[in-house]
Amino acid sequence: MTSTPGRPTPAPFCASTENFAEGRDTPRAFLERCLERLDAWEPVIGAFVCTDPSAARAAADAATARWKAGRPLSRIDGMPVGVKDIIETFDLPTQMGSPVFDGWQAGRDAASTMGLRDAGAVIVGKTVTTEFAATEPRGTRNPWDPSHTPGGSSSGSAAAVAVGIVSAALGTQVIGSIVRPASYCGCVGFKPTVGAINRGGSHDYLSQSATGILAASLADAWQAMMEMAVRVGGDPGFEGLFGPATMPAPRRPTRIAVLETAGWAVATEAAKAVLHDAAERLAQQGVAVVTRRTDPRVEAVEQAVHDAWPLSNRINAFESIWPYKDYRSRDADKLSQACRDRLDEAATIGLDGYRKALAERARVRALYAALASDCDACIALPAPSAAPVGLRPTGNPICVVPGSMLGVPALSVPLFEEAGLPLGLQVLGFANGDADAFAVSAWLAEALGVPDA
Amino acid sequence: MTSTPGRPTPAPFCASTENFAEGRDTPRAFLERCLERLDAWEPVIGAFVCTDPSAARAAADAATARWKAGRPLSRIDGMPVGVKDIIETFDLPTQMGSPVFDGWQAGRDAASTMGLRDAGAVIVGKTVTTEFAATEPRGTRNPWDPSHTPGGSSSGSAAAVAVGIVSAALGTQVIGSIVRPASYCGCVGFKPTVGAINRGGSHDYLSQSATGILAASLADAWQAMMEMAVRVGGDPGFEGLFGPATMPAPRRPTRIAVLETAGWAVATEAAKAVLHDAAERLAQQGVAVVTRRTDPRVEAVEQAVHDAWPLSNRINAFESIWPYKDYRSRDADKLSQACRDRLDEAATIGLDGYRKALAERARVRALYAALASDCDACIALPAPSAAPVGLRPTGNPICVVPGSMLGVPALSVPLFEEAGLPLGLQVLGFANGDADAFAVSAWLAEALGVPDA
């Protein structure tokens, strides 16, 4: 085990803004502390593809001036952020974790990048993504133990947030790419309702993919997302992120469903015990907790999401014919075997097979949506265990893919641990109920004993 | 009036493939005839941003070899095509009709480009688009009279197809960008059901935008679209173009609705007489023709689509905040006034206003969909007149925007003329009923007296 500079500790931003307003701290000073952590941690974790400290300092100085003048652009004015390298930035290359895009310059900001920048966020750098935000890892290490994976595909975003190099970082999730690395690295992860944040200029083209965030706190996650939503909206034709302008207040749920998912069969006893214990503590506090064994509707959902992973893979494979096939036609040797395999799988599906998969996904989504009538949220493990040893593969997404396939809000809240490594609590909400999912998550974080999640 | 090389005459491809199969003609010889027309017409009409005749010849030679070997890649193997310059091509720049993208190389094919190329189509060049496929014209002239507009935004595609430089060319439509120029230039135009063709790598990001085609014949239009659909599918999450592998047989409609649209108030008497006459001839042939005066459901649709244009503009403006605002932040002087005005309009809308507009659009779509229960299709003018004189603006889209807003298949069939200039018949179908719209269009073309539309 490589030694690390210390215990990974995130750097919440929104909790600090009062200090900026009152002159006790500045965004520039906040950034300098982040850059110190960058220097200390980056050689160990490899979270960034590239950074631009001088541009970040200039942006932080501008934010400092705005706070001093009493005119911040938003509540995240000056927030140090990372941008997952599947997402375009006009001033830094966008390389998508692939040699096909070595040094490629988009020449513009993606919608999410533009939204953050317009709100005053300070872009520290591009964070490492697996190849095309899929499975092939690109070397980032887990800050809790560098011999373990940080998870993927938002590997660099999770690791960078976990050690406080940035307060938040953009992520994308189509299978398990935000919630799983958040759990592994011990930060908040939030994948919103599908379509909630405009994916223009983000090179994940898949129908169940969503732009979300890794963040130091629930408040930071909510604020960064909402600042983007009001500035650039959701995907074209979608209604965008619903909810209040600031972090929703904690709300005690009346009824919570525990979902085992297909991941239960491969989860460690320790992880299962953690979820069991959490459910019991909630029940002791008067929350009605239902499970597949006590509620037939939960059992129906469990059965319906059991094959979420293969179903999602079929949909993703067909939707990846373009652009993968185009890349393969010129640069086959620059694509991973996993990427070429996905093309081979796609060739067996066809438009009819794809339509059947979409219909099945719509069926399962409707079935899950019915739960909303009397459950406030679902809780589940975000992974079968804490981060496994080794950098390849990036860990098992089996517990997270149901939320991706369902298109619903999904969070990982850093509440637990297993053998000294972090383990999150996954909270699943209902479509467009992202604010409710945050309110319940905040209450769960308090109820389960972590005062400042 | 500049003199032209003769009467514009399209070059249907699918009608020729028997000749390729039987050795009487070759794709290379077909292409050479197209390139002769390129030399003769291009100086007059300015349909292309760039061409690559040598790459086209190499592709045509490969197609020729495949037809000789009895193994064409598809029924469009060897078809000369144009690619609207809002759509990516790996071998030619993609400049979007904007100096912001002067010389920009995408480095890859868009999904539609890849689909055409994989089916053996021969890319002759990039066709002129208005700025960002919106309103600012880029100099293409109408081949029937170069002092008149060819329409927009698919200006170059319509003009190039009309004179037989290519048999088909990609277009995109979000307001009136395929059907209107098709009518003005005298070729077939087809905008499919929204989402029917994968827009990956096409830089129109709007929710009611669709990739479609300008073509020399209905058969060419259908075949090119279906070859793309089976290879690259629809937009992610959409079911893709439905219908048979080859052009649907003509089908006599039982009932046709005539839609006036808001365009009736500004249409010329000659154009209105053309539609009146067509409706009468259909009635004489035993087709039940209903109008706003004879059927309350048609009247309800007329009222519902009356404000399609301002509603669409609101939706498009909000959805254009990204990327226009990003471009403006660095290159404001490279944007047209129209583009900057759209950003100003967007600033007045907000996420709530956008949601209201989406809800209104959904309401109108549902209302229109109910017509499908007893109408086979609707017919309408594709424009208030034949192409007006002048290159700016590109003509009035008021008759076409209902089909765009409704997200339904819309065709322009080159059947009529007004004062020596072409005027099409607009045929509107129902969502995912693209094949029905073609079958009815083919029958209407026969019934209204044009044997080979």
Side-chain angles (χ1 to χ4, degrees), chain A residues 108-109 118 205 236-237 239 241 322 325-327 354-355, chain B residues 108-109 205 236-237 239 241 322 325-327 354-355:
Chain A
R108 67 180 182 186
D109 276 348
D118 282 358
Y205 312 100
E239 294 176 285
L241 184 67
W322 182 84
K325 197 176 171 192
D326 178 67
Y327 303 157
Y354 175 66
R355 288 170 182 158
Chain B
R108 66 179 182 186
D109 277 348
Y205 312 100
E239 295 177 283
L241 184 66
W322 182 87
K325 197 175 172 194
D326 178 67
Y327 303 157
Y354 174 66
R355 288 170 182 159

PDB file of all heavy atoms in Angstrom, chain A residues 108-109 118 205 236-237 239 241 322 325-327 354-355, chain B residues 108-109 205 236-237 239 241 322 325-327 354-355:
ATOM      1  N   ARG A 108     -15.176  24.717 -27.191  1.00  0.00           N
ATOM      2  CA  ARG A 108     -16.350  25.322 -26.541  1.00  0.00           C
ATOM      3  C   ARG A 108     -16.587  24.632 -25.196  1.00  0.00           C
ATOM      4  O   ARG A 108     -16.013  23.581 -24.930  1.00  0.00           O
ATOM      5  CB  ARG A 108     -17.590  25.183 -27.419  1.00  0.00           C
ATOM      6  CG  ARG A 108     -18.019  23.755 -27.574  1.00  0.00           C
ATOM      7  CD  ARG A 108     -19.264  23.609 -28.448  1.00  0.00           C
ATOM      8  NE  ARG A 108     -19.610  22.185 -28.492  1.00  0.00           N
ATOM      9  CZ  ARG A 108     -20.565  21.678 -29.242  1.00  0.00           C
ATOM     10  NH1 ARG A 108     -21.284  22.463 -30.018  1.00  0.00           N
ATOM     11  NH2 ARG A 108     -20.815  20.391 -29.224  1.00  0.00           N
ATOM     12  N   ASP A 109     -17.453  25.221 -24.394  1.00  0.00           N
ATOM     13  CA  ASP A 109     -17.889  24.591 -23.160  1.00  0.00           C
ATOM     14  C   ASP A 109     -19.137  23.759 -23.414  1.00  0.00           C
ATOM     15  O   ASP A 109     -20.037  24.188 -24.160  1.00  0.00           O
ATOM     16  CB  ASP A 109     -18.257  25.652 -22.113  1.00  0.00           C
ATOM     17  CG  ASP A 109     -17.059  26.164 -21.341  1.00  0.00           C
ATOM     18  OD1 ASP A 109     -15.974  25.560 -21.436  1.00  0.00           O
ATOM     19  OD2 ASP A 109     -17.220  27.179 -20.628  1.00  0.00           O
ATOM     20  N   ASP A 118     -20.837  30.018 -15.599  1.00  0.00           N
ATOM     21  CA  ASP A 118     -21.697  31.209 -15.508  1.00  0.00           C
ATOM     22  C   ASP A 118     -22.123  31.489 -14.071  1.00  0.00           C
ATOM     23  O   ASP A 118     -22.445  32.628 -13.734  1.00  0.00           O
ATOM     24  CB  ASP A 118     -22.954  31.036 -16.370  1.00  0.00           C
ATOM     25  CG  ASP A 118     -22.671  31.263 -17.851  1.00  0.00           C
ATOM     26  OD1 ASP A 118     -21.512  31.587 -18.190  1.00  0.00           O
ATOM     27  OD2 ASP A 118     -23.602  31.109 -18.663  1.00  0.00           O
ATOM     28  N   TYR A 205     -23.861   9.519 -25.094  1.00  0.00           N
ATOM     29  CA  TYR A 205     -25.030   9.781 -25.947  1.00  0.00           C
ATOM     30  C   TYR A 205     -26.179   8.831 -25.618  1.00  0.00           C
ATOM     31  O   TYR A 205     -27.051   8.615 -26.437  1.00  0.00           O
ATOM     32  CB  TYR A 205     -24.634   9.621 -27.409  1.00  0.00           C
ATOM     33  CG  TYR A 205     -23.360  10.333 -27.771  1.00  0.00           C
ATOM     34  CD1 TYR A 205     -22.155   9.648 -27.872  1.00  0.00           C
ATOM     35  CD2 TYR A 205     -23.352  11.702 -27.981  1.00  0.00           C
ATOM     36  CE1 TYR A 205     -20.981  10.311 -28.192  1.00  0.00           C
ATOM     37  CE2 TYR A 205     -22.183  12.374 -28.300  1.00  0.00           C
ATOM     38  CZ  TYR A 205     -20.996  11.661 -28.403  1.00  0.00           C
ATOM     39  OH  TYR A 205     -19.849  12.319 -28.711  1.00  0.00           O
ATOM     40  N   PRO A 236     -32.747  18.820 -24.108  1.00  0.00           N
ATOM     41  CA  PRO A 236     -33.835  19.389 -24.913  1.00  0.00           C
ATOM     42  C   PRO A 236     -35.080  18.490 -24.893  1.00  0.00           C
ATOM     43  O   PRO A 236     -34.981  17.273 -25.097  1.00  0.00           O
ATOM     44  CB  PRO A 236     -33.218  19.458 -26.311  1.00  0.00           C
ATOM     45  CG  PRO A 236     -31.747  19.577 -26.076  1.00  0.00           C
ATOM     46  CD  PRO A 236     -31.482  18.750 -24.852  1.00  0.00           C
ATOM     47  N   GLY A 237     -36.219  19.094 -24.593  1.00  0.00           N
ATOM     48  CA  GLY A 237     -37.459  18.334 -24.525  1.00  0.00           C
ATOM     49  C   GLY A 237     -37.770  17.792 -23.137  1.00  0.00           C
ATOM     50  O   GLY A 237     -38.874  17.304 -22.911  1.00  0.00           O
ATOM     51  N   GLU A 239     -37.910  18.465 -18.831  1.00  0.00           N
ATOM     52  CA  GLU A 239     -38.329  19.611 -18.017  1.00  0.00           C
ATOM     53  C   GLU A 239     -37.241  20.179 -17.116  1.00  0.00           C
ATOM     54  O   GLU A 239     -37.441  21.217 -16.511  1.00  0.00           O
ATOM     55  CB  GLU A 239     -39.538  19.209 -17.174  1.00  0.00           C
ATOM     56  CG  GLU A 239     -40.771  18.905 -18.020  1.00  0.00           C
ATOM     57  CD  GLU A 239     -41.921  18.421 -17.158  1.00  0.00           C
ATOM     58  OE1 GLU A 239     -41.880  17.252 -16.718  1.00  0.00           O
ATOM     59  OE2 GLU A 239     -42.825  19.216 -16.910  1.00  0.00           O
ATOM     60  N   LEU A 241     -34.213  19.905 -13.931  1.00  0.00           N
ATOM     61  CA  LEU A 241     -34.238  19.569 -12.506  1.00  0.00           C
ATOM     62  C   LEU A 241     -35.300  20.374 -11.776  1.00  0.00           C
ATOM     63  O   LEU A 241     -35.302  21.606 -11.819  1.00  0.00           O
ATOM     64  CB  LEU A 241     -32.852  19.853 -11.904  1.00  0.00           C
ATOM     65  CG  LEU A 241     -32.642  19.489 -10.440  1.00  0.00           C
ATOM     66  CD1 LEU A 241     -32.696  17.970 -10.236  1.00  0.00           C
ATOM     67  CD2 LEU A 241     -31.287  20.033  -9.943  1.00  0.00           C
ATOM     68  N   TRP A 322     -23.231   4.057 -33.150  1.00  0.00           N
ATOM     69  CA  TRP A 322     -22.587   5.336 -33.360  1.00  0.00           C
ATOM     70  C   TRP A 322     -22.299   5.909 -32.003  1.00  0.00           C
ATOM     71  O   TRP A 322     -23.195   5.875 -31.154  1.00  0.00           O
ATOM     72  CB  TRP A 322     -23.475   6.340 -34.117  1.00  0.00           C
ATOM     73  CG  TRP A 322     -22.747   7.612 -34.343  1.00  0.00           C
ATOM     74  CD1 TRP A 322     -21.878   7.883 -35.358  1.00  0.00           C
ATOM     75  CD2 TRP A 322     -22.743   8.757 -33.495  1.00  0.00           C
ATOM     76  NE1 TRP A 322     -21.343   9.137 -35.188  1.00  0.00           N
ATOM     77  CE2 TRP A 322     -21.859   9.699 -34.059  1.00  0.00           C
ATOM     78  CE3 TRP A 322     -23.382   9.092 -32.305  1.00  0.00           C
ATOM     79  CZ2 TRP A 322     -21.599  10.947 -33.470  1.00  0.00           C
ATOM     80  CZ3 TRP A 322     -23.136  10.322 -31.720  1.00  0.00           C
ATOM     81  CH2 TRP A 322     -22.256  11.245 -32.307  1.00  0.00           C
ATOM     82  N   LYS A 325     -18.644   2.628 -33.931  1.00  0.00           N
ATOM     83  CA  LYS A 325     -18.337   2.004 -35.225  1.00  0.00           C
ATOM     84  C   LYS A 325     -17.553   2.963 -36.106  1.00  0.00           C
ATOM     85  O   LYS A 325     -16.673   2.553 -36.866  1.00  0.00           O
ATOM     86  CB  LYS A 325     -19.636   1.566 -35.910  1.00  0.00           C
ATOM     87  CG  LYS A 325     -19.403   0.566 -37.022  1.00  0.00           C
ATOM     88  CD  LYS A 325     -20.716   0.070 -37.612  1.00  0.00           C
ATOM     89  CE  LYS A 325     -20.450  -0.759 -38.866  1.00  0.00           C
ATOM     90  NZ  LYS A 325     -21.692  -1.003 -39.614  1.00  0.00           N
ATOM     91  N   ASP A 326     -17.875   4.229 -36.000  1.00  0.00           N
ATOM     92  CA  ASP A 326     -17.118   5.223 -36.762  1.00  0.00           C
ATOM     93  C   ASP A 326     -15.666   5.255 -36.282  1.00  0.00           C
ATOM     94  O   ASP A 326     -14.740   5.260 -37.097  1.00  0.00           O
ATOM     95  CB  ASP A 326     -17.771   6.603 -36.622  1.00  0.00           C
ATOM     96  CG  ASP A 326     -16.990   7.668 -37.369  1.00  0.00           C
ATOM     97  OD1 ASP A 326     -16.950   7.607 -38.606  1.00  0.00           O
ATOM     98  OD2 ASP A 326     -16.400   8.543 -36.709  1.00  0.00           O
ATOM     99  N   TYR A 327     -15.456   5.246 -34.971  1.00  0.00           N
ATOM    100  CA  TYR A 327     -14.087   5.251 -34.449  1.00  0.00           C
ATOM    101  C   TYR A 327     -13.346   3.988 -34.905  1.00  0.00           C
ATOM    102  O   TYR A 327     -12.189   4.042 -35.308  1.00  0.00           O
ATOM    103  CB  TYR A 327     -14.073   5.319 -32.912  1.00  0.00           C
ATOM    104  CG  TYR A 327     -14.794   6.518 -32.315  1.00  0.00           C
ATOM    105  CD1 TYR A 327     -15.274   6.471 -31.005  1.00  0.00           C
ATOM    106  CD2 TYR A 327     -14.988   7.691 -33.028  1.00  0.00           C
ATOM    107  CE1 TYR A 327     -15.923   7.558 -30.423  1.00  0.00           C
ATOM    108  CE2 TYR A 327     -15.644   8.779 -32.465  1.00  0.00           C
ATOM    109  CZ  TYR A 327     -16.114   8.705 -31.164  1.00  0.00           C
ATOM    110  OH  TYR A 327     -16.763   9.780 -30.600  1.00  0.00           O
ATOM    111  N   TYR A 354     -33.792  -3.662 -30.187  1.00  0.00           N
ATOM    112  CA  TYR A 354     -33.662  -2.437 -29.399  1.00  0.00           C
ATOM    113  C   TYR A 354     -35.030  -1.932 -28.961  1.00  0.00           C
ATOM    114  O   TYR A 354     -35.232  -1.551 -27.803  1.00  0.00           O
ATOM    115  CB  TYR A 354     -32.931  -1.385 -30.228  1.00  0.00           C
ATOM    116  CG  TYR A 354     -32.842  -0.027 -29.583  1.00  0.00           C
ATOM    117  CD1 TYR A 354     -32.100   0.167 -28.422  1.00  0.00           C
ATOM    118  CD2 TYR A 354     -33.486   1.072 -30.144  1.00  0.00           C
ATOM    119  CE1 TYR A 354     -32.006   1.420 -27.834  1.00  0.00           C
ATOM    120  CE2 TYR A 354     -33.399   2.335 -29.564  1.00  0.00           C
ATOM    121  CZ  TYR A 354     -32.668   2.500 -28.404  1.00  0.00           C
ATOM    122  OH  TYR A 354     -32.584   3.742 -27.820  1.00  0.00           O
ATOM    123  N   ARG A 355     -35.995  -1.961 -29.897  1.00  0.00           N
ATOM    124  CA  ARG A 355     -37.343  -1.511 -29.527  1.00  0.00           C
ATOM    125  C   ARG A 355     -37.932  -2.371 -28.417  1.00  0.00           C
ATOM    126  O   ARG A 355     -38.602  -1.860 -27.507  1.00  0.00           O
ATOM    127  CB  ARG A 355     -38.259  -1.563 -30.752  1.00  0.00           C
ATOM    128  CG  ARG A 355     -37.968  -0.481 -31.772  1.00  0.00           C
ATOM    129  CD  ARG A 355     -38.714  -0.714 -33.062  1.00  0.00           C
ATOM    130  NE  ARG A 355     -38.370   0.313 -34.044  1.00  0.00           N
ATOM    131  CZ  ARG A 355     -38.509   0.191 -35.358  1.00  0.00           C
ATOM    132  NH1 ARG A 355     -38.998  -0.928 -35.872  1.00  0.00           N
ATOM    133  NH2 ARG A 355     -38.165   1.162 -36.165  1.00  0.00           N
TER     134      ARG A 355
ATOM    135  N   ARG B 108     -14.779  13.035 -37.244  1.00  0.00           N
ATOM    136  CA  ARG B 108     -15.588  11.812 -37.249  1.00  0.00           C
ATOM    137  C   ARG B 108     -16.822  12.041 -38.113  1.00  0.00           C
ATOM    138  O   ARG B 108     -17.131  13.177 -38.477  1.00  0.00           O
ATOM    139  CB  ARG B 108     -16.002  11.417 -35.837  1.00  0.00           C
ATOM    140  CG  ARG B 108     -16.935  12.424 -35.232  1.00  0.00           C
ATOM    141  CD  ARG B 108     -17.381  12.045 -33.821  1.00  0.00           C
ATOM    142  NE  ARG B 108     -18.326  13.064 -33.360  1.00  0.00           N
ATOM    143  CZ  ARG B 108     -18.837  13.121 -32.149  1.00  0.00           C
ATOM    144  NH1 ARG B 108     -18.496  12.223 -31.254  1.00  0.00           N
ATOM    145  NH2 ARG B 108     -19.694  14.062 -31.827  1.00  0.00           N
ATOM    146  N   ASP B 109     -17.505  10.966 -38.428  1.00  0.00           N
ATOM    147  CA  ASP B 109     -18.796  11.051 -39.100  1.00  0.00           C
ATOM    148  C   ASP B 109     -19.917  11.142 -38.078  1.00  0.00           C
ATOM    149  O   ASP B 109     -19.886  10.449 -37.049  1.00  0.00           O
ATOM    150  CB  ASP B 109     -19.052   9.795 -39.941  1.00  0.00           C
ATOM    151  CG  ASP B 109     -18.397   9.865 -41.314  1.00  0.00           C
ATOM    152  OD1 ASP B 109     -17.932  10.950 -41.714  1.00  0.00           O
ATOM    153  OD2 ASP B 109     -18.363   8.818 -41.993  1.00  0.00           O
ATOM    154  N   TYR B 205     -29.595  20.900 -31.774  1.00  0.00           N
ATOM    155  CA  TYR B 205     -29.765  20.206 -30.497  1.00  0.00           C
ATOM    156  C   TYR B 205     -31.188  20.338 -29.983  1.00  0.00           C
ATOM    157  O   TYR B 205     -31.430  20.167 -28.804  1.00  0.00           O
ATOM    158  CB  TYR B 205     -28.800  20.794 -29.470  1.00  0.00           C
ATOM    159  CG  TYR B 205     -27.388  20.926 -29.972  1.00  0.00           C
ATOM    160  CD1 TYR B 205     -26.893  22.137 -30.430  1.00  0.00           C
ATOM    161  CD2 TYR B 205     -26.541  19.819 -30.013  1.00  0.00           C
ATOM    162  CE1 TYR B 205     -25.604  22.256 -30.906  1.00  0.00           C
ATOM    163  CE2 TYR B 205     -25.241  19.928 -30.482  1.00  0.00           C
ATOM    164  CZ  TYR B 205     -24.782  21.148 -30.928  1.00  0.00           C
ATOM    165  OH  TYR B 205     -23.499  21.256 -31.400  1.00  0.00           O
ATOM    166  N   PRO B 236     -31.180   8.311 -29.385  1.00  0.00           N
ATOM    167  CA  PRO B 236     -31.166   7.403 -28.234  1.00  0.00           C
ATOM    168  C   PRO B 236     -32.472   7.506 -27.436  1.00  0.00           C
ATOM    169  O   PRO B 236     -32.925   8.607 -27.120  1.00  0.00           O
ATOM    170  CB  PRO B 236     -29.968   7.902 -27.426  1.00  0.00           C
ATOM    171  CG  PRO B 236     -29.059   8.514 -28.455  1.00  0.00           C
ATOM    172  CD  PRO B 236     -29.968   9.140 -29.468  1.00  0.00           C
ATOM    173  N   GLY B 237     -33.074   6.362 -27.171  1.00  0.00           N
ATOM    174  CA  GLY B 237     -34.329   6.337 -26.442  1.00  0.00           C
ATOM    175  C   GLY B 237     -35.561   6.392 -27.326  1.00  0.00           C
ATOM    176  O   GLY B 237     -36.673   6.186 -26.838  1.00  0.00           O
ATOM    177  N   GLU B 239     -37.632   5.035 -30.921  1.00  0.00           N
ATOM    178  CA  GLU B 239     -37.747   3.723 -31.560  1.00  0.00           C
ATOM    179  C   GLU B 239     -37.225   3.673 -32.985  1.00  0.00           C
ATOM    180  O   GLU B 239     -37.148   2.608 -33.575  1.00  0.00           O
ATOM    181  CB  GLU B 239     -39.214   3.290 -31.535  1.00  0.00           C
ATOM    182  CG  GLU B 239     -39.741   3.055 -30.129  1.00  0.00           C
ATOM    183  CD  GLU B 239     -41.224   2.707 -30.147  1.00  0.00           C
ATOM    184  OE1 GLU B 239     -42.029   3.641 -30.313  1.00  0.00           O
ATOM    185  OE2 GLU B 239     -41.547   1.518 -30.029  1.00  0.00           O
ATOM    186  N   LEU B 241     -37.042   4.935 -37.196  1.00  0.00           N
ATOM    187  CA  LEU B 241     -37.997   4.962 -38.306  1.00  0.00           C
ATOM    188  C   LEU B 241     -38.688   3.605 -38.478  1.00  0.00           C
ATOM    189  O   LEU B 241     -38.032   2.581 -38.643  1.00  0.00           O
ATOM    190  CB  LEU B 241     -37.248   5.322 -39.598  1.00  0.00           C
ATOM    191  CG  LEU B 241     -38.092   5.501 -40.862  1.00  0.00           C
ATOM    192  CD1 LEU B 241     -39.015   6.700 -40.752  1.00  0.00           C
ATOM    193  CD2 LEU B 241     -37.181   5.657 -42.085  1.00  0.00           C
ATOM    194  N   TRP B 322     -27.672  27.141 -24.548  1.00  0.00           N
ATOM    195  CA  TRP B 322     -26.463  26.434 -24.930  1.00  0.00           C
ATOM    196  C   TRP B 322     -26.702  25.879 -26.314  1.00  0.00           C
ATOM    197  O   TRP B 322     -27.753  25.294 -26.535  1.00  0.00           O
ATOM    198  CB  TRP B 322     -26.141  25.267 -23.961  1.00  0.00           C
ATOM    199  CG  TRP B 322     -24.853  24.618 -24.394  1.00  0.00           C
ATOM    200  CD1 TRP B 322     -23.596  24.992 -24.038  1.00  0.00           C
ATOM    201  CD2 TRP B 322     -24.706  23.515 -25.290  1.00  0.00           C
ATOM    202  NE1 TRP B 322     -22.683  24.202 -24.687  1.00  0.00           N
ATOM    203  CE2 TRP B 322     -23.329  23.283 -25.461  1.00  0.00           C
ATOM    204  CE3 TRP B 322     -25.593  22.692 -26.002  1.00  0.00           C
ATOM    205  CZ2 TRP B 322     -22.821  22.271 -26.295  1.00  0.00           C
ATOM    206  CZ3 TRP B 322     -25.094  21.697 -26.829  1.00  0.00           C
ATOM    207  CH2 TRP B 322     -23.730  21.488 -26.960  1.00  0.00           C
ATOM    208  N   LYS B 325     -24.946  30.867 -26.118  1.00  0.00           N
ATOM    209  CA  LYS B 325     -24.377  31.763 -25.112  1.00  0.00           C
ATOM    210  C   LYS B 325     -22.884  31.518 -24.957  1.00  0.00           C
ATOM    211  O   LYS B 325     -22.102  32.444 -24.718  1.00  0.00           O
ATOM    212  CB  LYS B 325     -25.095  31.564 -23.773  1.00  0.00           C
ATOM    213  CG  LYS B 325     -24.869  32.697 -22.807  1.00  0.00           C
ATOM    214  CD  LYS B 325     -25.679  32.534 -21.538  1.00  0.00           C
ATOM    215  CE  LYS B 325     -25.287  33.583 -20.515  1.00  0.00           C
ATOM    216  NZ  LYS B 325     -25.808  33.248 -19.181  1.00  0.00           N
ATOM    217  N   ASP B 326     -22.498  30.269 -25.087  1.00  0.00           N
ATOM    218  CA  ASP B 326     -21.071  29.962 -25.030  1.00  0.00           C
ATOM    219  C   ASP B 326     -20.341  30.610 -26.207  1.00  0.00           C
ATOM    220  O   ASP B 326     -19.286  31.221 -26.026  1.00  0.00           O
ATOM    221  CB  ASP B 326     -20.857  28.450 -25.032  1.00  0.00           C
ATOM    222  CG  ASP B 326     -19.383  28.085 -25.019  1.00  0.00           C
ATOM    223  OD1 ASP B 326     -18.735  28.368 -23.986  1.00  0.00           O
ATOM    224  OD2 ASP B 326     -18.881  27.555 -26.018  1.00  0.00           O
ATOM    225  N   TYR B 327     -20.910  30.492 -27.402  1.00  0.00           N
ATOM    226  CA  TYR B 327     -20.276  31.121 -28.566  1.00  0.00           C
ATOM    227  C   TYR B 327     -20.198  32.633 -28.370  1.00  0.00           C
ATOM    228  O   TYR B 327     -19.185  33.266 -28.690  1.00  0.00           O
ATOM    229  CB  TYR B 327     -21.057  30.814 -29.858  1.00  0.00           C
ATOM    230  CG  TYR B 327     -21.227  29.339 -30.168  1.00  0.00           C
ATOM    231  CD1 TYR B 327     -22.261  28.902 -30.994  1.00  0.00           C
ATOM    232  CD2 TYR B 327     -20.368  28.374 -29.650  1.00  0.00           C
ATOM    233  CE1 TYR B 327     -22.435  27.561 -31.298  1.00  0.00           C
ATOM    234  CE2 TYR B 327     -20.541  27.024 -29.944  1.00  0.00           C
ATOM    235  CZ  TYR B 327     -21.586  26.616 -30.763  1.00  0.00           C
ATOM    236  OH  TYR B 327     -21.760  25.296 -31.058  1.00  0.00           O
ATOM    237  N   TYR B 354     -40.292  27.621 -20.056  1.00  0.00           N
ATOM    238  CA  TYR B 354     -39.993  26.534 -20.976  1.00  0.00           C
ATOM    239  C   TYR B 354     -40.876  25.314 -20.690  1.00  0.00           C
ATOM    240  O   TYR B 354     -41.426  24.694 -21.596  1.00  0.00           O
ATOM    241  CB  TYR B 354     -38.512  26.171 -20.852  1.00  0.00           C
ATOM    242  CG  TYR B 354     -38.092  24.970 -21.656  1.00  0.00           C
ATOM    243  CD1 TYR B 354     -38.117  24.992 -23.054  1.00  0.00           C
ATOM    244  CD2 TYR B 354     -37.661  23.802 -21.033  1.00  0.00           C
ATOM    245  CE1 TYR B 354     -37.726  23.887 -23.802  1.00  0.00           C
ATOM    246  CE2 TYR B 354     -37.262  22.701 -21.766  1.00  0.00           C
ATOM    247  CZ  TYR B 354     -37.293  22.745 -23.156  1.00  0.00           C
ATOM    248  OH  TYR B 354     -36.911  21.644 -23.883  1.00  0.00           O
ATOM    249  N   ARG B 355     -41.024  25.000 -19.410  1.00  0.00           N
ATOM    250  CA  ARG B 355     -41.893  23.861 -19.045  1.00  0.00           C
ATOM    251  C   ARG B 355     -43.331  24.088 -19.510  1.00  0.00           C
ATOM    252  O   ARG B 355     -43.991  23.159 -19.963  1.00  0.00           O
ATOM    253  CB  ARG B 355     -41.857  23.643 -17.530  1.00  0.00           C
ATOM    254  CG  ARG B 355     -40.558  23.059 -17.034  1.00  0.00           C
ATOM    255  CD  ARG B 355     -40.477  23.086 -15.510  1.00  0.00           C
ATOM    256  NE  ARG B 355     -39.192  22.554 -15.082  1.00  0.00           N
ATOM    257  CZ  ARG B 355     -38.639  22.803 -13.898  1.00  0.00           C
ATOM    258  NH1 ARG B 355     -39.266  23.595 -13.027  1.00  0.00           N
ATOM    259  NH2 ARG B 355     -37.476  22.282 -13.581  1.00  0.00           N
TER     260      ARG B 355
END
